[in-house]
Amino acid sequence: MDHHEHSRHDGADTDGAPLDEAFTPRQEEVLEAALGLLVEGGERAITTAGLARAANCSKESLYKWFGDRDGVLAAMIAYQASKVRVAVGGPAAQRPADTYRADLEGFGVDLLTVLSGPASLALNRLAIGQASREGSRLGDLLVARGRRAVSTRAKALLEAGKRAGHLRFEDTQDAFETLYGLIVRDMHVRLMLGEHVPATHSDQAMANHVAGAVDQFFRLYGADAKP
Amino acid sequence: MDHHEHSRHDGADTDGAPLDEAFTPRQEEVLEAALGLLVEGGERAITTAGLARAANCSKESLYKWFGDRDGVLAAMIAYQASKVRVAVGGPAAQRPADTYRADLEGFGVDLLTVLSGPASLALNRLAIGQASREGSRLGDLLVARGRRAVSTRAKALLEAGKRAGHLRFEDTQDAFETLYGLIVRDMHVRLMLGEHVPATHSDQAMANHVAGAVDQFFRLYGADAKP
DNA sequence: TGCGTACCGTACCGTTCGGTACGGTGTCAA
DNA sequence: TTGACACCGTACCGAACGGTACGGTACGCA
């Protein structure tokens, strides 16, 4: 069925991904077109005929490659997640306090940038819209593929800061979720609802907000914080 | 099916709601049935024929009352929001520190309870799924109807705490959003994606989490916090 | 008694969409 | 040249859905 012979495996994928069905270049083109349709018109814009027309392929090929329409949606999420295979943190070397703070702020800006991106918003809207349907694992797929990446990167960053003496905490997961809450607040939901969120519009506003959030985070988890 | 008594215009609605189309008891029954369909099967379960069958009404009446299918969806959000017309905070009397802290925790528990409720999740999923369609104001409707209530209640609570000397902050909106982030984190999104979130399952777990979040909030905005 | 109103249940129509089938084209290998 | 293969474009089908129309029924009112 899936002959992944000429899939040039970019990036070191050594952490044993669960179901890594590599897509052929042609399939990636089709999925890219599907992403475009989704971003522009939402889930209802992803019709088999419309996608075939937009991608210059036949409906027969769609069903051969992805099984059915739900397979196309799942493949879109898997494909998009494979694109965001970010470098999972640096070597976590010892860094002075101010540069480590900049690292945290960089993570926060990256996080907000990803979350407010049109593709991410469209995929999240898709998965949430499908979450009610029983037997739909798009939500799990999205959280497994997308969130895991940012989570591992952030937790590595936090533990590096702990080892370097910049931070003090017991539960890494708890510290990460607090940082997430301080940075994102309810912006993600409001963005998905279509609202304008000023703090995500300009890089300047985003940097200002993240700086404040990281400041609060240090007051809660800094090495010189109260127990 | 529970037809709670037709309480038209309960609560003092003095803040000039934009479009407050009161529904007749029969219409509320239909909207209640629509809510049930939505919670169980998502947006696709709301078909005109299916709703008419579930509510024992005719399609003709649906179109007479709500205009078209989108009108039904909008009416569902307006109706649900009208049900959650919570008492907008107490008299904000001077309260000692420990009881004020309990007030904040009560707000947090209420917030998490509402957000994790099946009806709220279904409505939010609906609004988010429709947010991509141009000219759909369901998201605005939801945020205007639902979020405004919790926001005003929380901000009144925060300013009361400030006047009582328990809190110190400049920007009320900013303080509220920080509190929201500390309490909710990314649970709302994860719940909407269909994930299991332990902190929302038992009242005990919820209370524990909220207590920790309020603790963090006091360390950031308490009267004895650093500048 | 008759009439208007509001409503229910059903039948109907046009459209859209998921999914399948078929003919035609380019390519590679023997 | 011949065949196998992968693919495109189009046509087609059945089902589901939004929306409309019509007949029938209960109730209030003059």
Side-chain angles (χ1 to χ4, degrees), chain A residues 44-56:
Chain A
R44 313 292 285 239
I46 310 280
T47 67
T48 55
L51 176 56
R53 195 180 324 114
N56 287 325

Side-chain angles (χ1 to χ4, degrees), chain B residues 85-107:
Chain B
R85 185 139 316 206
V86 292
V88 57
Q94 290 272 357
R95 298 169 73 84
D98 52 345
T99 48
Y100 178 71
R101 182 195 190 88
D103 287 348
L104 271 189
E105 294 185 4
F107 163 77

Side-chain angles (χ1 to χ4, degrees), chain B residues 47-48 59-60 63 68-69:
Chain B
T47 68
T48 55
K59 291 174 65 174
E60 201 171 19
Y63 285 96
D68 56 1
R69 183 176 178 274

Side-chain angles (χ1 to χ4, degrees), chain B residues 8-46:
Chain B
R8 53 270 183 102
H9 263 288
D10 61 322
D13 185 43
T14 58
D15 54 77
L19 49 125
D20 198 86
E21 26 187 343
F23 301 113
T24 70
R26 184 71 185 104
Q27 290 168 1
E28 292 189 354
E29 284 181 33
V30 173
L31 293 176
E32 204 70 43
L35 254 304
L37 288 178
L38 181 71
V39 168
E40 190 164 359
E43 188 220 330
R44 312 293 285 239
I46 310 278

